[in-house]
Amino acid sequence: MELGTVMMQSNLIHYKLKRILPRVTKPGRYVGGEYNSVAKDWDTTDFKVALAFPDIYDLGMSNLGIMILYEQINRQPDMLAERVFSPWTDMEDLMRAEGIPLYSLENKRPIREFDLLGISLPYEQLYTNVLNLLHLANLPLRSSSRDESYPLVIAGGHACYNPEPLADFIDAFVIGEGEEIIVEVARTLQAMRGQSRTEQLRAIARIQGMYVPRFYDVSYNDDGTVREVVPNTPEAPRRVLKRIVPVLPTPFTRFLVPNIDTVHNRAPIEIMRGCTRGCRFCHAGMITRPVRERPVAEVMTAIGEIIANTGFEEISLLSLSSSDYVYVHELVDTIHEQYHDSGLSLSLPSLRIESASADLLDKLGDTRRSGFTFAPEAATEKMRDIINKYVPDEQVLETARAVYSRGWRTIKFYFMIGHPEETLEDVQAIINLCKAVLREGQKLLGGKANVNVGVSTFIPKPHTPFQWVPQDTHEQVEQKLRLLKDQLRGHGLHLRWNSVHESAFEGWMSRGDRRLGRVIERAWELGCKFDAWQDMHRHDLWMQAFDEHNLAPWFYTERERSIEEVFPWDHIDAAVHKKFLIDDYLMSIKGETRVDCRDKCFACGILPKFKEMRSQTEEMAWECPPVKPISDRKRAGSDGERTPNVVLSP
Ligand code: SF4
């Protein structure tokens, strides 16, 4: 597109924005210019990357992944990265009415003018927003309809471990971690400029971790299951092995200070990636192996830089299981020493109940404002064995006493309903446990004690031991929720749950196949978008879309899979052997557990898959099994002995 038109377009966007912004909610979402944002000179910077989070600014600005990629690209002198978020409905309507195409926040450039559009996909509810973004950017929705004159559209994030439902719309998927690969993809495309889109994609398919769906043909059996997924070009590997970074890169510390309040007004630092606990429902725990931990000094330097660069007053130390981070005590001590009277607030999400030692609570004591969050997920020994997350009730009560006795008034619990073999008695046990915890709190704090309970419906995920199991039907979920709603109420007890339709939707997309593409497109045409928002999700329109395409939603959710079944995502290699997952699934049916693999390696597949990488990295990459946390060397259940589970009354 010639420069004249480009300049005209961008000036026009500026001009039109001035007119419409006073008429939308939170105009700060659409103006950019934040402290620490990077607006490079458009005309003199060679390669242009648009990074999109397909939901509103308030959510996207708290996404650490986008920020890391933003820095990785902007570090390249000849490249620029600019942010794009989904406009909320009022802004979208005005943009469509005014003919304003989707634009980037930094230079207010139409997305159509970028070389590469990278879309972050942490969860499946964002799929219709992806189509809406492409349409607002005046890009043809289907990958096959976009040639080299259009930006190359790639996507990455946890949801991409089953990329098939979006295969028709995305040119290439990043499988695994994006820090290094985003620059490789950009450099490859930069070098292939002027070549045909097919040639460009052949080059992209050669990059380890890149999946180009058009280079794979899918065939189905008569019963609708996948027969096979086979490459149709030599550049496409039979299985696409995920990409990992051997060592966690230096933490991102130049956070953009948002124009408006965002969902997390705090700066996250990833202290550990991966987890070895092996909870069978946990997608993240399986796909982010191996464990890599950040040294305390690096975290401390990052905290200092974040405060200096942003003025943020709250820092969250991120990982899947913070109490398993080897240096957790040392880190909390050091932060306490340096910042205890600075007003800095520290959050340490995803603490495990059994290892939340009293002194850890104390050390965190004066920097925390709110309550404590734990995720026991299940409340009976049987269910805990099946999901392989063993937390005896007595441990829950002991930790609750420790929390309440230190003056915290609220404990938040996360439970799941719908795991395999679950009965109403198992759901009743959740109620009994929450009430028992509240009683402990009331003994110490009287009427000030609170128990907030979040209940989600278990959704079987690809690449986990539970990828074979059926998801609960609507009726089963409704029955269990009714029991919980009837009994988990009253003073000090607060219950929140996911809607049945939301859970069904996530189930379809999580284990869907490539045929779901036309259902997603039809649902979008019918008006579906912002499916992650309970009041925006339109179950009726989704049912219509499935119907019109003669596909049965239950086929994707409520159907038990045979061990031999070929999965739509089997050609995506998360580096954990399918055999390991099958064994673990069969163990779960027998109620057999596995200890944390820090105690005993089960040869899940990570080691052989990345042996070569480990040997190439001179810097100490990662150990498998990783070393054990000091405090938890002697861990309940690790040597097989168990604290018996006390039977709790309602
Ligand atoms: S290789 Fe062994 S120690 Fe490493 S993640 Fe797999 S089971 Fe755990």
Side-chain angles (χ1 to χ4, degrees):
M1 191 177 288
E2 63 291 343
L3 192 58
T5 336
V6 173
M7 293 310 291
M8 199 284 295
Q9 269 251 359
S10 168
N11 295 343
L12 200 54
I13 289 175
H14 277 280
Y15 167 73
K16 288 187 174 179
L17 279 179
K18 281 205 181 73
R19 235 195 7 244
I20 66 171
L21 285 179
R23 293 152 57 194
V24 298
T25 51
K26 299 190 179 177
R29 290 170 172 156
Y30 309 113
V31 291
E34 300 91 339
Y35 188 72
N36 288 333
S37 63
V38 181
K40 288 188 176 180
D41 181 73
W42 182 267
D43 304 327
T44 57
T45 308
D46 179 60
F47 194 83
K48 286 116 178 154
V49 181
L51 294 172
F53 187 87
D55 209 313
I56 57 173
Y57 177 98
D58 324 33
L59 282 166
M61 281 296 285
S62 297
N63 180 274
L64 179 58
I66 283 263
M67 290 305 152
I68 291 174
L69 301 180
Y70 185 77
E71 183 176 58
Q72 296 290 354
I73 293 287
N74 279 325
R75 264 210 203 124
Q76 318 299 317
D78 57 342
M79 294 187 177
L80 60 79
E82 304 201 353
R83 293 159 299 135
V84 190
F85 301 108
S86 297
W88 189 238
T89 50
D90 57 352
M91 179 64 175
E92 178 185 333
D93 294 346
L94 285 172
M95 285 172 71
R96 289 189 185 279
E98 295 276 343
I100 300 177
L102 189 70
Y103 61 89
S104 62
L105 289 182
E106 278 71 7
N107 276 299
K108 310 284 180 299
R109 293 288 172 158
I111 301 309
R112 176 81 174 69
E113 290 161 23
F114 284 77
D115 298 290
L116 179 63
L117 169 60
I119 302 175
S120 172
L121 285 177
Y123 41 86
E124 298 80 1
Q125 289 85 342
L126 298 171
Y127 290 177
T128 46
N129 279 19
V130 169
L131 274 63
N132 208 41
L133 273 181
L134 294 174
H135 192 260
L136 270 171
N138 299 329
L139 304 185
L141 295 186
R142 288 180 171 266
S143 167
S144 54
S145 312
R146 297 189 301 263
D147 64 15
E148 57 283 357
S149 70
Y150 291 100
L152 184 85
V153 179
I154 67 172
H158 285 192
C160 298
Y161 275 88
N162 176 15
E164 294 305 292
L166 279 186
D168 295 341
F169 312 105
I170 305 292
D171 298 319
F173 291 87
V174 175
I175 307 299
E177 297 160 7
E179 286 95 337
E180 294 170 353
I181 207 170
I182 187 77
V183 178
E184 282 174 44
V185 169
R187 288 266 170 246
T188 303
L189 193 58
Q190 188 182 36
M192 297 290 289
R193 237 192 219 132
Q195 308 262 342
S196 74
R197 180 48 46 92
T198 304
E199 284 313 311
Q200 290 173 343
L201 286 170
R202 283 186 201 283
I204 299 280
R206 289 193 204 98
I207 300 172
Q208 193 251 310
M210 289 307 292
Y211 168 55
V212 180
R214 70 172 68 178
F215 293 154
Y216 293 78
D217 299 328
V218 184
S219 57
Y220 299 89
N221 298 311
D222 299 345
D223 65 359
T225 57
V226 170
R227 182 180 312 125
E228 61 178 356
V229 182
V230 286
N232 57 30
T233 179
E235 289 81 4
R238 188 143 190 86
R239 301 191 71 213
V240 178
L241 176 61
K242 76 171 184 179
R243 190 68 180 260
I244 64 167
V245 287
V247 176
L248 297 183
T250 312
F252 175 69
T253 60
R254 201 165 279 287
F255 285 91
L256 283 58
V257 181
N259 294 332
I260 59 170
D261 259 353
T262 57
V263 283
H264 300 309
N265 268 332
R266 58 177 180 241
I269 302 175
E270 195 183 12
I271 56 174
M272 175 173 85
R273 195 174 290 181
C275 179
T276 50
R277 291 275 173 159
C279 307
R280 294 181 172 129
F281 56 83
C282 184
H283 188 235
M286 288 295 160
I287 63 171
T288 58
R289 293 179 175 202
V291 165
R292 283 142 294 162
E293 302 182 278
R294 208 182 278 293
V296 169
E298 205 173 272
V299 179
M300 292 312 296
T301 307
I303 292 174
E305 286 177 7
I306 288 172
I307 295 169
N309 293 341
T310 66
F312 275 137
E313 291 158 353
E314 184 165 353
I315 302 243
S316 62
L317 302 172
L318 286 189
S319 85
L320 291 175
S321 181
S322 302
S323 349
D324 288 342
Y325 169 60
V326 163
Y327 317 111
V328 69
H329 289 271
E330 183 194 340
L331 176 62
V332 172
D333 285 347
T334 316
I335 292 174
H336 183 72
E337 261 157 53
Q338 285 189 30
Y339 294 104
H340 71 276
D341 54 4
S342 70
L344 174 73
S345 179
L346 174 82
S347 65
L348 196 59
S350 56
L351 276 175
R352 287 184 68 98
I353 294 178
E354 79 263 315
S355 52
S357 67
D359 59 358
L360 191 61
L361 296 172
D362 266 343
K363 287 175 204 148
L364 287 175
D366 55 6
T367 62
R368 285 211 57 84
R369 280 186 292 271
S370 57
F372 259 82
T373 302
F374 296 115
E377 312 296 1
T380 56
E381 194 132 330
K382 178 197 90 182
M383 290 313 299
R384 287 172 182 149
D385 289 349
I386 288 173
I387 66 173
N388 202 41
K389 188 163 186 176
Y390 182 70
V391 190
D393 281 355
E394 191 36 47
Q395 182 92 41
V396 177
L397 296 174
E398 190 195 309
T399 307
R401 284 189 287 270
V403 169
Y404 286 128
S405 64
R406 283 166 176 82
W408 280 288
R409 296 179 180 179
T410 303
I411 292 184
K412 175 147 193 188
F413 283 126
Y414 285 111
F415 288 98
M416 277 190 199
I417 52 174
H419 282 127
E421 321 291 328
E422 183 183 65
T423 63
L424 286 180
E425 285 70 38
D426 298 310
V427 179
Q428 182 64 47
I430 294 175
I431 297 164
N432 301 349
L433 180 56
C434 294
K435 288 187 171 177
V437 166
L438 183 61
R439 281 196 295 274
E440 293 301 326
Q442 288 167 339
K443 281 185 209 149
L444 293 155
L445 303 173
K448 296 199 191 87
N450 290 298
V451 175
N452 293 356
V453 187
V455 173
S456 61
T457 301
F458 162 60
I459 294 159
K461 291 282 181 178
H463 307 284
T464 68
F466 283 164
Q467 61 185 353
W468 288 272
V469 305
Q471 183 172 332
D472 263 6
T473 63
H474 278 198
E475 298 65 36
Q476 287 170 315
V477 177
E478 296 279 17
Q479 188 189 26
K480 293 173 183 178
L481 283 178
R482 247 192 324 278
L483 181 63
L484 291 161
K485 290 178 199 170
D486 285 353
Q487 298 195 36
L488 274 180
R489 55 201 169 116
H491 183 72
L493 271 175
H494 314 279
L495 173 66
R496 294 189 67 170
W497 61 91
N498 286 6
S499 91
V500 179
H501 291 156
E502 274 181 327
S503 308
F505 171 85
E506 188 179 340
W508 308 326
M509 298 302 142
S510 297
R511 294 190 291 175
D513 54 41
R514 205 174 277 193
R515 292 169 298 179
L516 281 193
R518 50 186 193 261
V519 175
I520 294 169
E521 186 169 3
R522 183 65 187 133
W524 172 74
E525 285 164 358
L526 291 168
C528 292
K529 57 186 169 194
F530 291 108
D531 286 295
W533 299 65
Q534 219 169 33
D535 55 352
M536 296 287 285
H537 178 66
R538 292 289 306 276
H539 183 73
D540 56 330
L541 298 178
W542 278 97
M543 288 296 114
Q544 181 184 339
F546 269 102
D547 215 29
E548 287 179 12
H549 287 285
N550 201 15
L551 284 172
W554 62 262
F555 175 86
Y556 296 100
T557 42
E558 299 160 16
R559 185 175 61 86
E560 175 145 12
R561 273 76 167 168
S562 72
I563 293 291
E564 298 71 35
E565 179 167 333
V566 175
F567 288 129
W569 53 86
D570 271 352
H571 55 300
I572 304 296
D573 185 352
V576 173
H577 293 315
K578 197 168 183 180
K579 170 88 177 51
F580 168 85
L581 297 173
I582 291 171
D583 294 348
D584 211 39
Y585 169 46
L586 298 176
M587 285 173 74
S588 78
I589 297 172
K590 291 180 269 173
E592 290 170 6
T593 58
R594 279 192 211 260
V595 294
D596 178 332
C597 62
R598 283 179 194 250
D599 298 313
K600 177 172 170 277
C601 173
F602 297 99
C604 70
I606 286 286
L607 264 177
K609 288 272 167 63
F610 291 112
K611 201 182 4 268
E612 208 187 306
M613 171 204 274
R614 286 180 75 228
S615 59
Q616 276 156 8
T617 316
E618 59 285 335
E619 193 184 345
M620 190 6 264
W622 39 275
E623 276 305 323
C624 247
V627 286
K628 287 190 222 177
I630 299 156
S631 59
D632 292 345
R633 289 277 149 86
K634 180 127 188 41
R635 191 179 300 133
S638 62
D639 47 14
E641 54 78 29
R642 281 264 180 106
T643 322
N645 206 17
V646 284
V647 178
L648 297 165
S649 56

